[in-house]
Amino acid sequence: MPLARPQQLQILAASGFAPCILALWTIRDRQTLWTILLCSAVSAAGGWITKAIIPVVKAATLRANLSGLDINKKGSEAGTKRVPESLGLAPGVVFLVCVILFQLLHYYDVASLLHAAASFSSSSASSSQAISQSWLTNYNAALATICFMLFLGFADDVLDIPWRIKLTLPLLASLPLVVAYGDSTTIVIPKPFRSFTGLPEILELGILYKVYMVMMAIFCTNAINILAGVNGLEAGQTFVISCAVLFLNITELGGPAGLVPYLRDGHLFSLYIMLPLATTTFGLLIFNWYPSQVFVGDTFTYFAGMAFAVAGILGHQTETMLLFFIPQILNFLYSVPQLFKLVPCPRHRLPRYDPQTGLLHATPNWNLVNLALQIGGPCGERQLCVRILIFQVACCCVAFIARHALTGVYK
Protein backbone atom coordinates (compact mmCIF):
# COMPACT_ATOMS: atom_id res chain seq x y z
CA MET A 1 0.00 0.00 0.00
CA PRO A 2 1.55 3.37 -1.02
CA LEU A 3 2.40 5.85 1.71
CA ALA A 4 0.08 8.79 2.28
CA ARG A 5 1.11 12.22 1.03
CA PRO A 6 2.16 13.59 4.49
CA GLN A 7 4.30 10.51 5.15
CA GLN A 8 6.05 10.89 1.80
CA LEU A 9 6.90 14.49 2.61
CA GLN A 10 8.13 13.49 6.07
CA ILE A 11 10.47 10.92 4.55
CA LEU A 12 11.76 13.47 2.05
CA ALA A 13 12.34 16.04 4.82
CA ALA A 14 14.13 13.51 7.02
CA SER A 15 16.30 12.33 4.12
CA GLY A 16 17.42 15.89 3.42
CA PHE A 17 17.71 17.48 6.85
CA ALA A 18 18.79 14.54 9.07
CA PRO A 19 22.31 14.11 7.55
CA CYS A 20 22.90 17.86 7.88
CA ILE A 21 21.83 17.85 11.54
CA LEU A 22 24.06 14.87 12.32
CA ALA A 23 26.99 16.55 10.53
CA LEU A 24 26.83 19.43 13.03
CA TRP A 25 28.61 17.18 15.53
CA THR A 26 31.76 17.53 13.40
CA ILE A 27 31.98 21.30 13.96
CA ARG A 28 34.85 22.00 16.33
CA ASP A 29 34.78 25.79 16.36
CA ARG A 30 31.99 26.76 18.74
CA GLN A 31 31.43 30.20 17.20
CA THR A 32 30.96 28.62 13.78
CA LEU A 33 28.49 26.18 15.33
CA TRP A 34 26.53 29.01 16.94
CA THR A 35 26.48 30.82 13.60
CA ILE A 36 25.00 27.77 11.88
CA LEU A 37 22.45 27.20 14.65
CA LEU A 38 21.37 30.83 14.52
CA CYS A 39 20.96 30.72 10.74
CA SER A 40 19.12 27.41 11.07
CA ALA A 41 16.60 28.99 13.44
CA VAL A 42 15.97 31.88 11.04
CA SER A 43 15.71 29.48 8.09
CA ALA A 44 13.28 27.20 9.94
CA ALA A 45 11.11 30.24 10.64
CA GLY A 46 11.41 31.11 6.94
CA GLY A 47 10.14 27.66 5.98
CA TRP A 48 7.18 27.99 8.33
CA ILE A 49 6.35 31.49 7.02
CA THR A 50 6.54 30.21 3.43
CA LYS A 51 4.05 27.48 4.28
CA ALA A 52 1.78 30.06 5.95
CA ILE A 53 1.74 32.64 3.16
CA ILE A 54 1.39 30.33 0.17
CA PRO A 55 -2.41 30.04 0.61
CA VAL A 56 -2.58 33.86 0.60
CA VAL A 57 -0.44 34.16 -2.54
CA LYS A 58 -2.39 31.28 -4.10
CA ALA A 59 -5.66 33.17 -3.69
CA ALA A 60 -4.10 36.35 -5.10
CA THR A 61 -2.79 34.63 -8.25
CA LEU A 62 -6.17 33.02 -8.85
CA ARG A 63 -7.86 36.42 -8.61
CA ALA A 64 -5.35 37.76 -11.12
CA ASN A 65 -6.12 34.82 -13.43
CA LEU A 66 -2.50 33.69 -13.14
CA SER A 67 -3.27 29.99 -13.33
CA GLY A 68 -3.13 27.04 -15.67
CA LEU A 69 -4.28 23.47 -16.27
CA ASP A 70 -2.30 20.40 -15.25
CA ILE A 71 -1.51 18.85 -18.64
CA ASN A 72 -0.35 15.58 -17.05
CA LYS A 73 -3.95 15.06 -15.87
CA LYS A 74 -5.66 15.97 -19.15
CA GLY A 75 -8.80 13.93 -19.62
CA SER A 76 -9.50 13.54 -15.90
CA GLU A 77 -11.50 15.70 -13.53
CA ALA A 78 -8.28 17.03 -11.98
CA GLY A 79 -7.18 18.17 -15.43
CA THR A 80 -10.09 20.61 -15.68
CA LYS A 81 -9.28 22.53 -12.50
CA ARG A 82 -7.32 25.78 -12.64
CA VAL A 83 -4.07 25.58 -10.66
CA PRO A 84 -2.47 28.83 -9.44
CA GLU A 85 0.94 29.55 -10.97
CA SER A 86 4.07 31.52 -10.02
CA LEU A 87 3.95 30.39 -6.39
CA GLY A 88 7.75 30.46 -6.41
CA LEU A 89 7.27 34.11 -5.53
CA ALA A 90 6.44 33.16 -1.91
CA PRO A 91 9.62 31.20 -1.07
CA GLY A 92 11.68 33.66 -3.12
CA VAL A 93 10.63 36.68 -1.07
CA VAL A 94 10.97 34.84 2.26
CA PHE A 95 14.40 33.56 1.16
CA LEU A 96 15.60 37.10 0.48
CA VAL A 97 14.38 38.29 3.89
CA CYS A 98 16.24 35.41 5.59
CA VAL A 99 19.50 36.18 3.76
CA ILE A 100 19.20 39.88 4.64
CA LEU A 101 18.72 38.92 8.30
CA PHE A 102 21.83 36.72 8.09
CA GLN A 103 23.85 39.73 7.01
CA LEU A 104 22.53 41.72 9.96
CA LEU A 105 23.31 38.92 12.41
CA HIS A 106 26.74 38.43 10.88
CA TYR A 107 27.51 42.14 10.95
CA TYR A 108 26.75 42.45 14.67
CA ASP A 109 28.41 39.11 15.40
CA VAL A 110 25.41 37.77 17.31
CA ALA A 111 26.91 34.27 17.24
CA SER A 112 29.77 35.43 19.49
CA LEU A 113 27.31 36.93 21.96
CA LEU A 114 25.30 33.70 22.10
CA HIS A 115 28.48 31.68 22.48
CA ALA A 116 29.58 33.89 25.35
CA ALA A 117 26.19 33.64 27.04
CA ALA A 118 26.17 29.87 26.70
CA SER A 119 29.65 29.67 28.18
CA PHE A 120 28.71 32.07 31.02
CA SER A 121 31.86 34.00 30.25
CA SER A 122 32.62 36.47 27.51
CA SER A 123 36.31 35.60 27.77
CA SER A 124 35.60 32.09 26.52
CA ALA A 125 33.98 33.33 23.33
CA SER A 126 35.90 33.49 20.09
CA SER A 127 37.14 36.92 19.25
CA SER A 128 34.90 38.98 17.02
CA GLN A 129 36.20 39.35 13.47
CA ALA A 130 35.64 42.47 11.43
CA ILE A 131 33.74 41.99 8.20
CA SER A 132 35.72 43.02 5.17
CA GLN A 133 34.32 45.46 2.65
CA SER A 134 34.87 42.82 -0.04
CA TRP A 135 32.63 40.35 1.84
CA LEU A 136 29.86 42.94 2.18
CA THR A 137 30.14 43.89 -1.48
CA ASN A 138 29.91 40.29 -2.67
CA TYR A 139 27.04 39.54 -0.29
CA ASN A 140 25.00 42.52 -1.46
CA ALA A 141 25.80 41.71 -5.09
CA ALA A 142 24.55 38.15 -4.51
CA LEU A 143 21.33 39.50 -3.01
CA ALA A 144 20.82 41.86 -5.94
CA THR A 145 21.47 39.08 -8.46
CA ILE A 146 19.03 36.61 -6.89
CA CYS A 147 16.40 39.32 -6.41
CA PHE A 148 16.81 40.42 -10.05
CA MET A 149 16.40 36.81 -11.21
CA LEU A 150 13.29 36.38 -9.07
CA PHE A 151 11.78 39.47 -10.69
CA LEU A 152 12.66 38.33 -14.21
CA GLY A 153 11.23 34.87 -13.52
CA PHE A 154 7.95 36.38 -12.39
CA ALA A 155 7.96 38.64 -15.45
CA ASP A 156 8.38 35.55 -17.62
CA ASP A 157 5.40 33.87 -15.95
CA VAL A 158 3.24 36.94 -16.54
CA LEU A 159 4.46 37.95 -20.01
CA ASP A 160 5.30 34.48 -21.41
CA ILE A 161 8.68 35.60 -22.79
CA PRO A 162 9.87 33.69 -25.91
CA TRP A 163 12.46 30.96 -25.33
CA ARG A 164 15.27 32.68 -27.27
CA ILE A 165 14.93 35.71 -24.98
CA LYS A 166 14.64 33.56 -21.84
CA LEU A 167 18.23 32.44 -22.34
CA THR A 168 19.44 36.01 -21.88
CA LEU A 169 17.59 36.61 -18.60
CA PRO A 170 20.27 34.99 -16.38
CA LEU A 171 22.86 37.09 -18.22
CA LEU A 172 21.05 40.26 -17.20
CA ALA A 173 20.46 39.06 -13.64
CA SER A 174 24.12 38.10 -13.13
CA LEU A 175 25.41 41.58 -13.98
CA PRO A 176 25.40 42.87 -10.35
CA LEU A 177 27.47 39.88 -9.25
CA VAL A 178 29.90 40.05 -12.18
CA VAL A 179 30.48 43.80 -11.86
CA ALA A 180 30.92 43.77 -8.08
CA TYR A 181 32.95 40.55 -7.84
CA GLY A 182 36.23 41.31 -6.09
CA ASP A 183 37.59 37.89 -5.16
CA SER A 184 40.33 35.93 -6.87
CA THR A 185 40.06 35.24 -10.59
CA THR A 186 42.66 32.46 -10.53
CA ILE A 187 42.02 28.74 -10.90
CA VAL A 188 43.99 25.67 -9.84
CA ILE A 189 44.94 23.57 -12.87
CA PRO A 190 44.17 19.87 -12.23
CA LYS A 191 47.30 17.75 -11.80
CA PRO A 192 46.61 15.45 -14.78
CA PHE A 193 46.53 18.48 -17.11
CA ARG A 194 49.71 20.11 -15.82
CA SER A 195 51.97 17.29 -16.99
CA PHE A 196 51.11 17.42 -20.70
CA THR A 197 50.07 21.07 -21.07
CA GLY A 198 52.94 22.69 -19.22
CA LEU A 199 50.55 25.06 -17.44
CA PRO A 200 51.41 26.32 -13.95
CA GLU A 201 49.53 25.14 -10.86
CA ILE A 202 47.81 28.52 -10.50
CA LEU A 203 46.47 30.24 -13.62
CA GLU A 204 45.15 33.81 -13.72
CA LEU A 205 42.08 34.05 -15.94
CA GLY A 206 41.20 37.69 -15.45
CA ILE A 207 38.13 38.67 -17.45
CA LEU A 208 37.68 35.08 -18.65
CA TYR A 209 36.81 34.10 -15.09
CA LYS A 210 33.88 36.54 -15.16
CA VAL A 211 32.77 35.05 -18.47
CA TYR A 212 32.80 31.67 -16.72
CA MET A 213 30.68 33.15 -13.90
CA VAL A 214 28.06 34.28 -16.41
CA MET A 215 28.05 30.86 -18.09
CA MET A 216 27.62 29.19 -14.71
CA ALA A 217 24.65 31.43 -13.93
CA ILE A 218 23.02 30.75 -17.30
CA PHE A 219 23.48 26.99 -16.99
CA CYS A 220 22.26 26.57 -13.40
CA THR A 221 19.19 28.72 -14.00
CA ASN A 222 18.09 26.97 -17.18
CA ALA A 223 19.10 23.51 -15.94
CA ILE A 224 16.47 23.63 -13.19
CA ASN A 225 13.96 25.19 -15.59
CA ILE A 226 14.09 22.50 -18.29
CA LEU A 227 13.97 19.48 -15.93
CA ALA A 228 10.34 20.13 -15.06
CA GLY A 229 6.73 19.36 -15.90
CA VAL A 230 5.95 16.83 -13.15
CA ASN A 231 4.28 17.68 -9.84
CA GLY A 232 6.98 18.19 -7.23
CA LEU A 233 9.94 17.79 -9.57
CA GLU A 234 11.24 21.37 -9.74
CA ALA A 235 10.97 21.94 -5.99
CA GLY A 236 12.04 18.36 -5.24
CA GLN A 237 15.32 18.50 -7.15
CA THR A 238 16.06 21.93 -5.65
CA PHE A 239 15.49 20.57 -2.14
CA VAL A 240 17.75 17.54 -2.73
CA ILE A 241 20.61 19.56 -4.22
CA SER A 242 20.41 22.31 -1.59
CA CYS A 243 20.57 19.70 1.21
CA ALA A 244 23.55 18.04 -0.50
CA VAL A 245 25.43 21.35 -0.75
CA LEU A 246 24.46 22.17 2.83
CA PHE A 247 25.83 18.82 4.02
CA LEU A 248 29.05 19.50 2.10
CA ASN A 249 29.43 22.92 3.71
CA ILE A 250 28.88 21.61 7.23
CA THR A 251 31.28 18.68 6.87
CA GLU A 252 33.93 20.94 5.35
CA LEU A 253 33.52 23.45 8.18
CA GLY A 254 34.01 20.56 10.59
CA GLY A 255 37.25 19.54 8.88
CA PRO A 256 40.56 21.26 8.14
CA ALA A 257 38.85 23.77 5.81
CA GLY A 258 36.96 25.16 8.80
CA LEU A 259 40.25 26.38 10.27
CA VAL A 260 41.39 28.26 7.15
CA PRO A 261 39.70 31.69 7.03
CA TYR A 262 39.43 31.88 3.24
CA LEU A 263 37.89 28.41 2.93
CA ARG A 264 35.72 28.83 6.03
CA ASP A 265 34.23 32.08 4.75
CA GLY A 266 33.46 30.48 1.39
CA HIS A 267 31.60 27.57 2.95
CA LEU A 268 29.75 29.87 5.37
CA PHE A 269 28.70 32.06 2.45
CA SER A 270 27.36 29.03 0.59
CA LEU A 271 25.63 27.83 3.76
CA TYR A 272 23.91 31.22 4.14
CA ILE A 273 22.36 30.65 0.70
CA MET A 274 21.56 26.94 0.95
CA LEU A 275 19.94 26.89 4.41
CA PRO A 276 17.01 29.20 3.62
CA LEU A 277 16.77 27.78 0.10
CA ALA A 278 16.22 24.28 1.52
CA THR A 279 13.66 25.32 4.15
CA THR A 280 11.63 27.69 1.98
CA THR A 281 11.65 25.18 -0.88
CA PHE A 282 10.28 22.51 1.41
CA GLY A 283 7.56 24.93 2.50
CA LEU A 284 6.63 25.22 -1.18
CA LEU A 285 6.98 21.49 -1.76
CA ILE A 286 4.22 20.82 0.78
CA PHE A 287 1.80 22.39 -1.72
CA ASN A 288 3.58 21.35 -4.93
CA TRP A 289 3.91 17.63 -4.17
CA TYR A 290 1.55 15.33 -6.07
CA PRO A 291 -1.29 16.08 -6.41
CA SER A 292 -0.08 19.63 -6.78
CA GLN A 293 -2.19 22.45 -5.38
CA VAL A 294 0.09 25.09 -6.93
CA PHE A 295 2.59 25.44 -9.77
CA VAL A 296 6.01 26.89 -8.94
CA GLY A 297 6.45 28.65 -12.31
CA ASP A 298 9.59 30.08 -13.86
CA THR A 299 9.63 32.43 -10.88
CA PHE A 300 10.90 29.56 -8.74
CA THR A 301 13.12 27.71 -11.20
CA TYR A 302 15.01 30.87 -12.16
CA PHE A 303 15.39 32.03 -8.57
CA ALA A 304 16.53 28.58 -7.35
CA GLY A 305 18.98 28.11 -10.21
CA MET A 306 20.55 31.52 -9.62
CA ALA A 307 20.84 30.77 -5.90
CA PHE A 308 22.86 27.64 -6.75
CA ALA A 309 25.06 29.59 -9.15
CA VAL A 310 25.75 32.32 -6.57
CA ALA A 311 26.53 29.75 -3.85
CA GLY A 312 28.90 27.92 -6.18
CA ILE A 313 30.71 31.05 -7.37
CA LEU A 314 31.08 32.93 -4.09
CA GLY A 315 31.48 29.72 -2.10
CA HIS A 316 34.35 28.76 -4.46
CA GLN A 317 32.90 25.32 -5.17
CA THR A 318 31.63 25.48 -8.74
CA GLU A 319 33.15 22.13 -9.72
CA THR A 320 31.46 20.32 -6.83
CA MET A 321 28.22 22.15 -7.59
CA LEU A 322 28.32 20.83 -11.15
CA LEU A 323 28.80 17.30 -9.80
CA PHE A 324 25.52 17.68 -7.90
CA PHE A 325 23.94 18.77 -11.19
CA ILE A 326 24.68 15.49 -12.99
CA PRO A 327 20.98 14.76 -13.77
CA GLN A 328 20.50 18.33 -15.00
CA ILE A 329 23.62 18.07 -17.18
CA LEU A 330 22.43 14.76 -18.64
CA ASN A 331 18.99 16.23 -19.25
CA PHE A 332 20.50 19.22 -21.04
CA LEU A 333 22.79 17.09 -23.23
CA TYR A 334 19.93 14.73 -24.07
CA SER A 335 17.67 17.71 -24.85
CA VAL A 336 20.14 19.49 -27.16
CA PRO A 337 18.61 18.18 -30.43
CA GLN A 338 15.21 19.62 -29.49
CA LEU A 339 16.49 22.77 -27.78
CA PHE A 340 18.41 23.74 -30.92
CA LYS A 341 15.58 22.70 -33.27
CA LEU A 342 17.53 19.82 -34.83
CA VAL A 343 14.37 17.77 -34.30
CA PRO A 344 10.81 19.07 -33.78
CA CYS A 345 10.34 20.64 -30.36
CA PRO A 346 6.77 21.16 -29.03
CA ARG A 347 5.96 23.84 -26.48
CA HIS A 348 5.44 21.26 -23.72
CA ARG A 349 7.77 18.25 -23.84
CA LEU A 350 5.64 16.23 -21.43
CA PRO A 351 4.63 12.56 -21.21
CA ARG A 352 1.22 11.36 -22.42
CA TYR A 353 -1.44 10.80 -19.78
CA ASP A 354 -3.81 7.85 -20.12
CA PRO A 355 -7.04 8.76 -18.28
CA GLN A 356 -8.17 5.12 -18.35
CA THR A 357 -5.24 3.81 -16.31
CA GLY A 358 -4.01 7.02 -14.69
CA LEU A 359 -0.49 6.28 -15.95
CA LEU A 360 1.98 8.45 -17.84
CA HIS A 361 3.55 7.11 -21.04
CA ALA A 362 6.73 8.26 -22.75
CA THR A 363 6.47 10.52 -25.80
CA PRO A 364 9.14 11.07 -28.46
CA ASN A 365 10.51 14.08 -26.60
CA TRP A 366 14.15 14.22 -25.65
CA ASN A 367 14.34 14.84 -21.92
CA LEU A 368 15.04 12.96 -18.71
CA VAL A 369 11.36 12.77 -17.77
CA ASN A 370 10.45 10.78 -20.87
CA LEU A 371 13.67 8.78 -20.69
CA ALA A 372 12.73 7.65 -17.16
CA LEU A 373 9.43 6.36 -18.56
CA GLN A 374 11.16 4.63 -21.47
CA ILE A 375 13.54 2.84 -19.12
CA GLY A 376 11.21 2.14 -16.20
CA GLY A 377 7.93 1.80 -18.08
CA PRO A 378 4.66 3.71 -17.64
CA CYS A 379 3.81 4.83 -14.11
CA GLY A 380 1.83 7.37 -12.13
CA GLU A 381 2.99 10.97 -11.89
CA ARG A 382 4.02 10.69 -8.24
CA GLN A 383 6.04 7.55 -8.92
CA LEU A 384 7.74 9.25 -11.88
CA CYS A 385 8.79 12.17 -9.68
CA VAL A 386 10.10 9.77 -7.03
CA ARG A 387 12.12 7.88 -9.66
CA ILE A 388 13.85 11.05 -10.82
CA LEU A 389 14.46 12.29 -7.27
CA ILE A 390 16.00 8.95 -6.29
CA PHE A 391 18.30 9.32 -9.29
CA GLN A 392 19.12 12.85 -8.09
CA VAL A 393 19.99 11.54 -4.61
CA ALA A 394 22.11 8.76 -6.11
CA CYS A 395 24.02 11.27 -8.25
CA CYS A 396 24.66 13.47 -5.20
CA CYS A 397 26.08 10.42 -3.38
CA VAL A 398 28.29 9.68 -6.40
CA ALA A 399 29.44 13.31 -6.32
CA PHE A 400 30.54 12.96 -2.68
CA ILE A 401 32.36 9.70 -3.44
CA ALA A 402 34.09 11.21 -6.48
CA ARG A 403 35.07 14.31 -4.52
CA HIS A 404 36.60 12.19 -1.76
CA ALA A 405 38.35 9.81 -4.18
CA LEU A 406 39.88 12.64 -6.24
CA THR A 407 41.13 14.67 -3.26
CA GLY A 408 44.88 14.95 -3.62
CA VAL A 409 44.78 13.29 -7.03
CA TYR A 410 42.80 15.73 -9.16
CA LYS A 411 44.18 18.87 -7.54
Side-chain angles (χ1 to χ4, degrees):
M1 182 177 179
L3 294 174
R5 190 175 187 273
Q7 293 173 312
Q8 295 171 6
L9 289 169
Q10 290 169 5
I11 291 174
L12 184 59
S15 301
F17 290 128
C20 300
I21 294 173
L22 293 175
L24 290 174
W25 293 102
T26 66
I27 304 292
R28 290 174 287 179
D29 182 74
R30 309 315 294 176
Q31 184 174 344
T32 299
L33 178 60
W34 274 107
T35 299
I36 297 174
L37 292 176
L38 191 61
C39 293
S40 298
V42 174
S43 298
W48 181 84
I49 293 172
T50 300
K51 179 177 178 292
I53 68 173
I54 281 181
V56 179
V57 180
K58 173 183 173 182
T61 55
L62 283 174
R63 285 196 303 270
N65 199 30
L66 194 58
S67 60
L69 299 176
D70 195 333
I71 300 177
N72 283 333
K73 298 177 180 64
K74 186 176 181 180
S76 67
E77 183 181 352
T80 63
K81 296 179 180 178
R82 305 295 298 183
V83 181
E85 295 182 333
S86 304
L87 265 293
L89 188 63
V93 171
V94 176
F95 167 88
L96 290 172
V97 173
C98 289
V99 176
I100 292 170
L101 288 176
F102 291 169
Q103 184 179 23
L104 187 65
L105 297 172
H106 195 82
Y107 184 82
Y108 288 104
D109 202 11
V110 176
S112 291
L113 299 177
L114 291 175
H115 177 42
S119 303
F120 300 103
S121 170
S122 60
S123 60
S124 64
S126 302
S127 59
S128 176
Q129 297 181 358
I131 300 177
S132 67
Q133 185 62 39
S134 174
W135 189 93
L136 288 173
T137 301
N138 286 338
Y139 200 89
N140 289 327
L143 274 172
T145 295
I146 297 173
C147 184
F148 198 1
M149 194 72 258
L150 180 68
F151 164 73
L152 291 175
F154 185 69
D156 184 22
D157 281 336
V158 174
L159 303 176
D160 195 17
I161 299 173
W163 177 254
R164 64 183 181 276
I165 299 178
K166 283 185 182 183
L167 292 176
T168 65
L169 297 183
L171 170 62
L172 296 174
S174 64
L175 288 178
L177 180 62
V178 172
V179 172
Y181 183 77
D183 282 357
S184 172
T185 55
T186 61
I187 61 171
V188 178
I189 301 298
K191 291 179 180 179
F193 293 99
R194 296 178 208 163
S195 57
F196 65 84
T197 61
L199 293 172
E201 179 182 357
I202 306 296
L203 181 64
E204 172 63 51
L205 291 183
I207 191 67
L208 291 179
Y209 190 87
K210 295 197 173 186
V211 173
Y212 168 70
M213 290 168 57
V214 173
M215 293 174 62
M216 181 76 178
I218 293 174
F219 169 75
C220 288
T221 304
N222 286 287
I224 298 293
N225 191 45
I226 65 175
L227 184 53
V230 177
N231 287 178
L233 182 55
E234 299 95 323
Q237 63 182 302
T238 298
F239 177 74
V240 171
I241 299 173
S242 59
C243 287
V245 179
L246 184 57
F247 180 77
L248 170 68
N249 291 327
I250 294 174
T251 53
E252 287 296 307
L253 288 168
L259 304 176
V260 181
Y262 175 75
L263 297 176
R264 181 194 63 224
D265 291 347
H267 285 294
L268 277 175
F269 195 106
S270 176
L271 182 140
Y272 289 163
I273 302 295
M274 292 296 104
L275 251 177
L277 180 62
T279 57
T280 57
T281 295
F282 189 77
L284 174 63
L285 193 56
I286 292 173
F287 295 88
N288 185 238
W289 191 252
Y290 179 90
S292 180
Q293 303 172 42
V294 301
F295 290 151
V296 300
D298 290 343
T299 305
F300 176 79
T301 57
Y302 283 175
F303 138 70
M306 186 59 77
F308 285 126
V310 168
I313 293 168
L314 296 181
H316 307 290
Q317 51 191 19
T318 53
E319 290 175 323
T320 304
M321 185 69 74
L322 290 175
L323 285 176
F324 292 138
F325 270 71
I326 290 175
Q328 287 72 24
I329 293 174
L330 293 176
N331 182 59
F332 170 74
L333 294 176
Y334 187 55
S335 299
V336 163
Q338 282 193 315
L339 294 180
F340 291 93
K341 306 295 184 180
L342 300 178
V343 296
C345 181
R347 176 176 173 79
H348 299 291
R349 303 185 302 146
L350 299 175
R352 177 179 59 83
Y353 177 72
D354 184 354
Q356 301 299 322
T357 62
L359 301 180
L360 293 176
H361 297 259
T363 57
N365 287 304
W366 299 41
N367 57 22
L368 198 60
V369 172
N370 283 288
L371 183 61
L373 289 170
Q374 292 172 9
I375 295 174
C379 65
E381 188 172 2
R382 177 169 51 195
Q383 185 180 353
L384 176 59
C385 180
V386 171
R387 282 183 188 176
I388 299 174
L389 292 185
I390 289 175
F391 180 58
Q392 181 76 66
V393 172
C395 288
C396 288
C397 292
V398 169
F400 279 110
I401 294 172
R403 193 176 190 278
H404 177 74
L406 294 175
T407 300
V409 177
Y410 182 66
K411 286 187 178 180

